[in-house]
Amino acid sequence: LNVLAYPWTVATIQMAAGLAYFVPLWVLGIRKAPKLNASELKTLLPIALCHTGVHVGAVIALGAGAVSFAHIVKASEPVVTCALNALLLGQILPLPVYATLLPIIGGVAIASLKEL
């Protein structure tokens, strides 16, 4: 991870590798290409940009510090997702969903204590 100290470049190459994989599958007809209208693209664009930002952030985090701590942060993503759903979308999930987050929170807490 520290051999090439250009995290933006690494992240871009990783995203390009994905393009190099699925575009030929679409062109050759091995996989059906998605058909999206303008409304669907408008809906997906912010999600795609956020996903790209998270990927770049993960690559930067992996190169900037301990790999184990970056994985600890990534493990907390379901908790952050539920919190943002509640705050931004007003979507309150059923109690059993939140109960499944307890082992994640506990594991992240224990692992974080070990990293300190």
Side-chain angles (χ1 to χ4, degrees), residues 18-55:
L19 283 169
Y21 175 75
F22 68 77
V23 169
L25 294 177
W26 291 346
V27 171
L28 297 172
I30 297 170
R31 297 249 349 190
K32 185 178 174 189
K35 303 237 187 262
L36 302 171
N37 60 36
S39 173
E40 293 167 332
L41 285 173
K42 184 179 173 184
T43 300
L44 288 175
L45 184 63
I47 297 167
L49 291 174
C50 287
H51 179 74
T52 302
V54 168
H55 175 72

Side-chain angles (χ1 to χ4, degrees), residues 56-116:
V56 170
V59 172
I60 291 170
L62 287 169
V67 172
S68 57
F69 188 71
H71 286 295
I72 290 168
V73 172
K74 286 175 65 176
S76 66
E77 286 178 7
V79 176
V80 174
T81 299
C82 285
L84 289 176
N85 271 350
L87 290 172
L88 300 178
L89 303 176
Q91 181 183 22
I92 304 300
L93 300 171
L95 187 58
V97 173
Y98 293 118
T100 62
L101 297 176
L102 293 176
I104 295 171
I105 294 168
V108 168
I110 291 168
S112 295
L113 287 173
K114 190 172 182 176
E115 285 295 321
L116 297 175

